[in-house]
């Protein structure tokens, strides 16, 4: 009688472990699908933000170039005004030089005329320099505007993709999240906490993995034959001694996939 009860307890214990492993594996499959949805959606918001930043940078560049163009145009106008003033002064000094009374006055006026002529030459040189810079900056503005328009079109397109993807994935994610919660309720808190801790520390979010080619499906380290047998027996929760992930055999994985 006692032996029969012990066997009954053993069977119940085995079934309980099977259920735990199945629930954990199913939970992992569901959470992995949620991760995939979020990862796909997660790339597009980054692209949208990058495009927004690039557009902001381009607009700032255009605004700065426009300001610089305005300054150059003002400098050109100032030099043109300088040329007009210098030529007027030259004409005035030439008239005065024609009516001088001595050599000192003549030499002084001649120097003033030469100075004004140098001012004209220098101003004309500056006008050429500013005009060249002006053309370069205007060309840069046009190029930046073209690029701005292209990036704006890209942004509109990416925003549309993101909105469409969010609409599509939100429904799927809600369904999967509900399934995830349902499976979490089947797992005892201590085991669930361990699962969540392992998932958080794993780069790929895998806390439960199946044996693949005699190795851990997470870290790919070999698993001894006796340990593989223990895993197939489903008598206790076994973790990989290298990466700490929960190990299951192919039969548990197949059952979990069938129930999704």
């Amino acid at each position: 009688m006692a032996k029969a009860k012990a066997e009954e307890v053993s069977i119940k214990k085995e079934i309980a472990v099977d259920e735990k492993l199945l629930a954990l594996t199913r939970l992992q499959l569901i959470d992995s699908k949620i991760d995939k949805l979020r990862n796909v959606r997660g790339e597009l918001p980054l692209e949208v933000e990058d495009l927004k930043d690039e557009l902001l940078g381009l607009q700032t560049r255009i605004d700065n170039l426009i300001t610089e163009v305005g300054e150059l145009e003002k400098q050109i106008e100032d030099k043109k005004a300088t040329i007009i003033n210098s030529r007027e002064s030259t004409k005035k000094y030439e008239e005065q030089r024609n009516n001088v009374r001595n050599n000192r006055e003549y030499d002084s006026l001649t120097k003033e005329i030469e100075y004004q002529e140098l001012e004209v030459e220098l101003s004309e040189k500056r006008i050429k320099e500013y005009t060249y810079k002006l053309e370069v900056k205007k060309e840069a503005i046009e190029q930046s505007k073209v690029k701005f328009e292209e990036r704006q079109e890209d942004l509109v397109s990416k925003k549309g993709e993101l909105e469409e993807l969010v609409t599509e994935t939100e429904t799927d994610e809600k369904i999967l999240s509900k399934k995830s919660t349902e499976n979490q309720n089947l797992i005892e808190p201590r085991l669930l906490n361990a699962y969540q801790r392992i998932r958080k520390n794993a780069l790929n979010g895998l806390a439960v993995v199946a044996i693949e080619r005699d190795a851990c499906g997470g870290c790919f380290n070999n698993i001894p034959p006796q340990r593989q047998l223990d895993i197939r027996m489903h008598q206790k929760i076994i973790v990989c001694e290298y990466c700490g992930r929960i190990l299951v055999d192919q039969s548990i994985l197949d059952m979990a996939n069938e129930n999704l």
Side-chain angles (χ1 to χ4, degrees), residues 6 35 41-42 90 158 190 196 206 234 249 251:
D35 290 343
R41 195 169 68 224
T90 298
K158 290 294 181 184
R190 179 185 61 81
Q196 292 172 337
L206 293 177
H234 308 155
D249 66 329
S251 66

Side-chain angles (χ1 to χ4, degrees), residues 70-87:
E71 291 173 354
L72 285 168
E73 288 176 339
K74 184 178 183 304
Q75 288 175 327
I76 289 171
E77 291 304 314
D78 288 345
K79 291 303 176 184
K80 286 180 177 179
T82 298
I83 290 172
I84 292 171
N85 291 334
S86 292
R87 284 175 176 168

Side-chain angles (χ1 to χ4, degrees), residues 32-192:
S32 291
K33 286 184 177 181
I34 294 173
D35 290 343
K36 187 176 180 180
L37 287 176
R38 288 175 178 172
N39 287 338
V40 171
R41 195 169 68 224
E43 292 172 2
L44 272 173
L46 290 175
E47 291 179 19
V48 168
E49 289 305 313
D50 287 344
L51 283 168
K52 285 181 179 179
D53 290 341
E54 188 175 357
L55 282 169
L56 183 61
L58 283 169
Q59 187 59 60
T60 301
R61 173 174 167 75
I62 291 169
D63 292 342
N64 290 338
L65 285 168
I66 290 173
T67 300
E68 291 170 8
V69 163
E71 291 173 354
L72 285 168
E73 288 176 339
K74 184 178 183 304
Q75 288 175 327
I76 289 171
E77 291 304 314
D78 288 345
K79 291 303 176 184
K80 286 180 177 179
T82 298
I83 290 172
I84 292 171
N85 291 334
S86 292
R87 284 175 176 168
E88 288 177 353
S89 296
T90 298
K91 185 178 180 181
K92 182 183 70 174
Y93 291 140
E94 285 176 343
E95 289 174 355
Q96 291 177 359
R97 190 174 61 177
N98 292 331
N99 299 314
V100 296
R101 298 178 182 179
N102 52 59
N103 290 334
R104 186 173 62 80
E105 289 182 5
Y106 183 89
D107 292 340
S108 176
L109 289 168
T110 299
K111 287 179 180 179
E112 285 293 337
I113 291 169
E114 289 174 351
Y115 173 77
Q116 296 302 326
E117 288 174 347
L118 285 172
E119 277 288 302
V120 170
E121 288 180 11
L122 183 60
S123 295
E124 288 175 342
K125 182 180 178 182
R126 291 287 180 264
I127 287 173
K128 287 180 181 179
E129 291 176 0
Y130 297 154
T131 301
Y132 174 75
K133 290 181 180 179
L134 189 62
E135 291 172 356
V136 170
K137 291 187 183 297
K138 283 183 176 180
E139 185 177 350
I141 289 173
E142 291 306 312
Q143 291 175 350
S144 295
K145 284 182 176 179
V146 170
K147 193 172 182 180
F148 185 89
E149 291 174 2
E150 290 175 351
R151 292 297 178 268
Q152 258 191 333
E153 291 176 2
D154 291 341
L155 179 59
V156 171
S157 176
K158 290 294 181 184
K159 276 185 173 180
E161 287 179 32
L162 181 58
E163 289 172 4
E164 184 178 347
L165 190 58
V166 166
T167 302
E168 291 175 358
T169 58
E170 270 185 342
T171 302
D172 292 338
E173 188 176 336
K174 284 179 182 178
I175 293 171
L176 288 169
S177 294
K178 184 180 178 182
K179 287 183 178 180
S180 178
T181 302
E182 289 171 355
N183 276 275
Q184 288 179 34
N185 293 334
L186 300 174
I187 303 169
E188 60 187 78
R190 179 185 61 81
L191 194 55
L192 180 60

